[in-house]
Amino acid sequence: MLNENIKAIRKSKGLSQQELAIKLNVVRQTVSKWEQGLSVPDSDLLLSLSEALETPVSTLLGENTAESEVDDLKAICAKLEVINLQLARRETIRKRILLWFFISLCAVIAIIFTILLALESPYLYWDYSDPETAVFGAAFHAFEWLFIRIAPMILIGSVIGLFMTRKKE
């Protein structure tokens, strides 16, 4: 809701993201992230934003009622808390997806390595007088050669990624 209100009010005032960013002494990307809902302004920036857009904070947050200043601050805090919880939930989901990606990557590398180990380079015994066999054998050898050299680095990176994205308790 906040992101949509910032964008709508900014456009209704005829301001670009860059112009609003200059008024707030932030970079344009910050305004873009607010409007996309990827981040939220802190309380100081929220007040500056309301001044720059000449709009009450309650309107930015989606309220249309006129309450006392203390009630406004409580409402603002409550809404910011909800927004922060939503962002934290997104971050948790992102970390969970990355964790499963790294687990899957490790499993795929282990499976391919096991298959290559079990096959014991069968192309070494093929008759390469047939052009199709020669091409397939060369491709299989190239894959095996690249995999054996690159897979350990990817596996180490995946294990590091697993440790960095694991849930800390």
Side-chain angles (χ1 to χ4, degrees):
M1 182 182 309
L2 175 64
N3 59 332
E4 295 165 354
N5 290 344
I6 293 173
K7 187 175 187 176
I9 295 170
R10 175 186 59 80
K11 285 186 174 184
S12 71
K13 300 286 183 182
L15 293 172
S16 68
Q17 288 182 345
Q18 183 67 36
E19 292 168 334
L20 181 58
I22 290 170
K23 283 186 172 188
L24 298 172
N25 292 323
V26 296
V27 293
R28 185 202 56 78
Q29 288 83 355
T30 302
V31 175
S32 176
K33 285 182 180 180
W34 293 342
E35 291 182 359
Q36 292 174 13
L38 299 175
S39 68
V40 293
D42 62 18
S43 57
D44 292 335
L45 274 173
L46 193 59
L47 292 173
S48 299
L49 183 62
S50 73
E51 290 172 7
L53 294 174
E54 300 169 351
T55 306
V57 174
S58 58
T59 304
L60 285 173
L61 293 174
E63 290 184 6
N64 294 326
T65 59
E67 299 175 351
S68 68
E69 207 170 291
V70 173
D71 290 340
D72 283 347
L73 286 176
K74 286 181 182 178
I76 290 169
C77 289
K79 289 194 179 226
L80 285 175
E81 185 176 346
V82 169
I83 292 170
N84 283 333
L85 285 173
Q86 290 172 345
L87 288 174
R89 216 175 283 131
R90 279 187 195 165
E91 183 67 18
T92 303
I93 290 170
R94 187 187 67 78
K95 278 189 174 185
R96 191 175 300 143
I97 289 170
L98 275 174
L99 178 71
W100 282 107
F101 170 75
F102 288 130
I103 289 171
S104 301
L105 190 58
C106 288
V108 166
I109 288 172
I111 290 168
I112 292 174
F113 186 74
T114 304
I115 290 170
L116 288 176
L117 193 64
L119 290 176
E120 296 179 358
S121 303
Y123 58 85
L124 295 176
Y125 309 107
W126 291 349
D127 177 21
Y128 284 96
S129 59
D130 179 24
E132 290 177 7
T133 304
V135 169
F136 185 70
F140 190 76
H141 175 68
F143 170 75
E144 184 180 66
W145 185 87
L146 280 173
F147 181 80
I148 296 301
R149 279 149 185 81
I150 295 174
M153 291 181 278
I154 295 173
L155 186 63
I156 290 169
S158 296
V159 170
I160 291 170
L162 281 171
F163 282 108
M164 292 179 73
T165 58
R166 76 182 192 285
K167 189 174 183 178
K168 295 176 180 108
E169 295 178 24

